[in-house]
Amino acid sequence: MPKPRCLWLDWSVDRAARGLLWLAFRLPYETRVPMMGAIFRSLGGVSGYRARAEDQLAYIHPDMPAPERRRIARAVLDNFGRVLIENYSTADQLARAQRWQPQGPGWDACEAARQAGRPILFVSGHFGNYQAARAAMNVRGYEMGGLYRLMNNPYANAHYVASVEGVGGKAFARDRRGLAGFVKVLRDGGQGAMLIDQYFAGGTRLDFLGKRAPTALSAGEMALKYDALLVPIYAERQQNGLDFDVTVEAPIPHSDPRTMTQALNDSLSARVSARPDQWFWVHRRWKPARQAKYFAPEDDDLPEVDSQPVDDRTA
């Protein structure tokens, strides 16, 4: 049985977070964003997030030199801080999104589907800034709502939801009621967005960066059930640290949920391999000890494969 939440501690943490946000909003956007990146980068050792990111990198890339893991982890924390304040700065984010013209082989297909009233399910991961992609699409006529995981802290969850909905579309929690609302959007020919790169205890173990990762098959299942276009989408941070290249990849062909979900994992893996500094390595994506406890070896037949070398660019 999970331990009950300590609400006074949740409230205190939320007050501290709101205070930091209040201070950040006293600054211009062009100063606010890099400042938050620097704060998160500097607190990485105290918070434990830097060590967690380095551990995850070592799990996927055991031969990577320690200084390289440290460099990537610091860049990850910088991006983490920037994403946080960007996603709360919804008016500024929408204004800048006017210049982030989505491109890629899936753009024309999405435009055709939207005009025809065919549902579109966009899938991304914690790469670059996932909300920036929603902002770029929504200022161009889309109404891409988001499926999100409820935060443990109920006080923080309230303003997090407001930030998701601030760039257009509705936020749907990953619970029974939220999923029903999300499905209705697709059934009515709308657009939805979801992330695929968090540990899902009830999922299927698929390959992600060369290791087994429990993954929800729901994206493929919903795309098949509602004849939705299934489209990987990413917002990669540009060198100026404030803008994004938004790429709409070709739709995943309809086949079966497992094959389609693996294709989504492969798409994200390619992005992370090219720009490891832009993915949230602070997430415990694999949890190998937990997998060993709850998954039998015969649960799947995925062979362990060697991961690809990472790109040496920084954020």
Side-chain angles (χ1 to χ4, degrees):
M1 177 180 292
K3 294 181 179 179
R5 299 291 301 177
C6 183
L7 291 182
W8 72 264
L9 182 58
D10 284 342
W11 182 87
S12 299
V13 169
D14 179 61
R15 292 296 104 180
R18 287 174 183 263
L20 179 59
L21 291 172
W22 183 87
L23 289 173
F25 281 120
R26 308 281 71 79
L27 301 172
Y29 185 80
E30 292 75 8
T31 303
R32 182 191 319 156
V33 172
M35 183 200 75
M36 286 293 285
I39 290 174
F40 272 63
R41 191 172 65 246
S42 64
L43 294 177
V46 177
S47 66
Y49 282 129
R50 190 179 67 203
R52 185 189 299 178
E54 291 185 47
D55 287 345
Q56 299 262 58
L57 282 160
Y59 179 64
I60 297 301
H61 303 289
D63 297 329
M64 179 185 290
E68 179 68 356
R69 291 200 301 268
R70 176 64 56 90
R71 180 190 67 78
I72 293 174
R74 285 175 56 82
V76 167
L77 290 169
D78 183 273
N79 184 59
F80 198 160
R82 289 173 185 255
V83 168
L84 175 66
I85 196 63
E86 286 166 346
N87 290 357
Y88 276 97
S89 306
T90 52
D92 294 298
Q93 191 173 54
L94 288 172
R96 296 190 77 93
Q98 296 287 346
R99 69 183 78 174
W100 305 334
Q101 174 60 50
Q103 299 184 33
W107 172 249
D108 289 341
C110 289
E111 285 289 87
R114 182 168 68 95
Q115 295 298 329
R118 183 182 179 185
I120 308 173
L121 179 53
F122 292 96
V123 180
S124 192
H126 292 82
F127 178 86
N129 186 337
Y130 43 91
Q131 183 161 294
R134 287 183 54 238
M137 299 296 281
N138 287 349
V139 298
R140 289 169 174 81
Y142 289 73
E143 294 184 19
M144 194 195 302
L147 190 64
Y148 73 96
R149 184 176 179 178
L150 280 163
M151 299 181 72
N152 292 331
N153 187 322
Y155 301 103
N157 193 75
H159 53 85
Y160 172 73
V161 170
S163 75
V164 174
E165 296 184 337
V167 297
K170 185 173 175 56
F172 299 95
R174 269 188 180 272
D175 57 19
R176 189 167 184 172
R177 181 177 180 182
L179 284 169
F182 189 77
V183 162
K184 185 177 186 304
V185 169
L186 296 179
R187 193 170 55 235
D188 293 344
Q191 305 101 38
M194 61 187 296
L195 304 178
I196 199 173
D197 58 346
Q198 288 181 294
Y199 185 95
F200 188 70
T204 299
R205 292 205 293 178
L206 302 179
D207 175 75
F208 180 60
L209 290 171
K211 297 288 187 179
R212 295 179 176 89
T215 309
L217 301 183
S218 50
E221 292 168 346
M222 286 189 286
L224 290 171
K225 185 172 183 178
Y226 301 106
D227 190 30
L229 217 60
L230 184 63
V231 184
I233 187 170
Y234 305 99
E236 182 175 318
R237 190 177 299 280
Q238 295 179 4
Q239 288 299 313
N240 68 8
L242 297 171
D243 292 305
F244 296 90
D245 293 320
V246 178
T247 302
V248 184
E249 294 191 351
I252 301 297
H254 283 200
S255 54
D256 62 84
R258 178 172 182 143
T259 300
M260 295 165 72
T261 307
Q262 183 60 65
L264 291 169
N265 273 5
D266 293 344
S267 168
L268 180 57
S269 290
R271 295 279 165 179
V272 177
S273 294
R275 290 300 305 271
D277 51 296
Q278 297 218 12
W279 188 62
F280 283 20
W281 291 90
V282 296
H283 283 163
R284 294 189 178 96
R285 178 64 184 97
W286 294 273
K287 300 183 181 179
R290 185 171 297 183
Q291 287 194 57
K293 181 177 180 180
Y294 292 105
F295 288 88
E298 62 271 17
D299 281 349
D300 61 48
D301 57 0
L302 173 71
E304 294 286 5
V305 299
D306 292 334
S307 54
Q308 296 296 315
V310 299
D311 189 287
D312 62 359
R313 290 175 289 175
T314 57

